[in-house]
């Protein structure tokens, strides 16, 4: 079940995705509030009052009926269904993690040489806003994918397959969203990056659909072997995405 805070976070992230220069200050101005309290609300550090929910909801263009539903169910006060709400929150967090590329990138960035746990630096390195970065870190910690000890050291705690072991409906939709983002980023890299730090190639071939399961297994094996090869270097300095597409360009006749 989506909370009003979830809606605020998703709206901000979506605006940042459409306009990389979009800032928390711009979001706060559009909602008619100060940036600092809005930041605390987005991070869950400040409770949402009924009055604030109405104010922000109207600024987002929500109907009074929809605002009322959020106020009744998610005013920030504890209820008998708090455990269920916590489960729903984790599910939404995990969906966001497996559908937005930068969550994985943050976990991989931890492994790079010279990594510093600085929100502004991580945001600049990944080309996202500091608020997006903080929200992503909070999500990763809530679902147990990231740990930060008392000395401020970060640790990736994910296990193989953990992030996709939720439900078929969630992972299917999230996977489509993630792959769309990766393909869009690949297009930008093709247009903007020098060829010595990227590789875009393709091959067209005749094939029979009955061989596709074996071909997909070979692609999976190749991905894992390449990942193992690249991560053997103990001093990584960059985070890369690998996208492989195998699809028909011809259609069978009925």
């Amino acid at each position: 079940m989506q909370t009003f805070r979830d809606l605020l976070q998703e709206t901000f992230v979506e605006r940042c995705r459409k306009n990389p220069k979009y800032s928390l200050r711009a979001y706060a101005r559009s909602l008619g509030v100060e940036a600092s309290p809005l930041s605390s609300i987005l991070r869950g550090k400040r409770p949402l009052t009924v009055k604030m929910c109405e104010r922000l909801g109207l600024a987002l263009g929500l109907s009074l009926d929809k605002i009322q539903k959020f106020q009744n169910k998610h005013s920030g006060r504890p209820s008998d269904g708090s455990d269920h709400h916590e489960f729903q929150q984790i599910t939404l967090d995990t969906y966001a993690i497996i559908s937005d590329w930068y969550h994985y990138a943050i976990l991989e960035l931890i492994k790079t040489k010279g990594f510093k746990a600085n929100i502004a630096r991580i945001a600049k390195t990944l080309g996202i806003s500091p608020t997006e970065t903080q929200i992503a870190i909070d999500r990763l910690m809530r679902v147990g994918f990231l740990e930060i000890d008392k000395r401020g050291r970060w640790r990736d705690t994910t296990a193989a397959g953990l992030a996709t072991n939720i439900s078929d409906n969630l992972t299917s939709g999230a996977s489509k969203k993630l792959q769309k983002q990766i393909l869009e980023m690949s297009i930008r890299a093709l247009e903007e990056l020098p060829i010595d730090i990227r590789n875009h190639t393709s091959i067209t071939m005749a094939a029979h659909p009955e061989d596709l399961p074996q071909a997909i297994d070979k692609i999976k094996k190749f991905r894992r072997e390449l990942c193992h090869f690249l991560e053997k270097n103990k001093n990584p300095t960059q985070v890369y995405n690998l996208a492989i597409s195998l699809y028909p360009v011809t259609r069978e006749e009925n």
Side-chain angles (χ1 to χ4, degrees):
M1 185 180 297
Q2 186 187 50
T3 68
F4 190 72
R5 181 174 287 106
D6 295 328
L7 177 64
L8 287 172
Q9 290 179 346
E10 290 168 11
T11 302
F12 177 69
V13 169
E14 186 61 29
R15 291 184 184 183
C16 287
R17 185 172 296 119
K18 291 179 178 178
N19 177 12
K21 295 183 179 180
Y22 195 76
S23 66
L24 178 65
R25 291 184 181 277
Y27 191 36
R29 283 197 301 271
S30 74
L31 298 176
V33 296
E34 295 295 324
S36 181
L38 179 60
S39 175
S40 297
I41 289 172
L42 291 174
R43 296 177 57 191
K45 303 297 183 181
R46 179 169 177 161
L48 264 167
T49 64
V50 172
K51 186 176 180 180
M52 181 60 75
C53 185
E54 179 176 328
R55 179 180 176 182
L56 297 178
L58 290 173
L60 288 173
L62 301 182
S63 66
L64 290 175
D65 181 61
K66 190 166 185 177
I67 293 172
Q68 185 67 52
K69 290 179 180 178
F70 278 120
Q71 289 173 330
N72 291 341
K73 296 180 181 179
H74 307 294
S75 62
R77 294 187 292 269
S79 65
D80 294 337
S82 58
D83 290 342
H84 178 68
H85 168 69
E86 181 65 19
F87 171 78
Q88 291 288 353
Q89 178 64 53
I90 294 300
T91 301
L92 287 167
D93 284 339
T94 311
Y95 178 89
I97 288 169
I98 63 177
S99 63
D100 284 314
W101 66 272
Y102 48 79
H103 292 91
Y104 297 108
I106 290 171
L107 294 176
E108 291 300 312
L109 201 59
I110 297 171
K111 306 172 186 176
T112 59
K113 184 179 180 180
F115 170 75
K116 292 184 179 180
N118 178 279
I119 301 299
R121 184 168 179 175
I122 294 172
K124 185 176 181 180
T125 299
L126 298 180
I128 60 178
S129 72
T131 304
E132 282 181 287
T133 304
Q134 185 63 66
I135 290 172
I137 291 169
D138 291 342
R139 283 173 178 158
L140 289 167
M141 293 181 66
R142 265 200 303 269
V143 300
F145 288 2
L146 172 67
E147 287 184 357
I148 302 178
D149 65 21
K150 294 180 179 179
R151 298 176 62 182
R153 293 175 300 190
W154 293 27
R155 185 168 71 91
D156 176 0
T157 57
T158 60
L162 178 64
T164 56
N165 188 23
I166 312 163
S167 78
D168 291 340
N169 290 335
L170 276 183
T171 54
S172 177
S175 177
K176 288 180 181 178
K177 183 180 176 183
L178 174 62
Q179 293 306 317
K180 182 179 179 181
Q181 289 179 12
I182 290 174
L183 290 174
E184 290 171 347
M185 292 166 63
S186 178
I187 292 173
R188 288 201 300 271
L190 177 64
E191 295 176 343
E192 299 172 5
L193 299 181
I195 195 162
D196 58 329
I197 61 170
R198 63 171 179 80
N199 182 270
H200 285 79
T201 58
S202 63
I203 184 172
T204 304
M205 67 204 82
H208 195 287
E210 68 181 18
D211 294 324
L212 281 181
Q214 190 173 354
I216 292 171
D217 284 340
K218 288 180 178 293
I219 291 173
K220 184 186 297 183
K221 182 179 179 182
F222 164 72
R223 285 202 318 264
R224 292 175 177 174
E225 287 179 348
L226 183 62
C227 181
H228 177 70
F229 167 74
L230 292 175
E231 291 191 343
K232 282 194 303 183
N233 191 311
K234 301 303 181 183
N235 295 299
T237 59
Q238 299 288 338
V239 177
Y240 273 75
N241 266 333
L242 171 68
I244 301 174
S245 300
L246 176 67
Y247 54 90
V249 293
T250 55
R251 297 186 179 183
E252 292 185 11
E253 294 183 2
N254 294 329

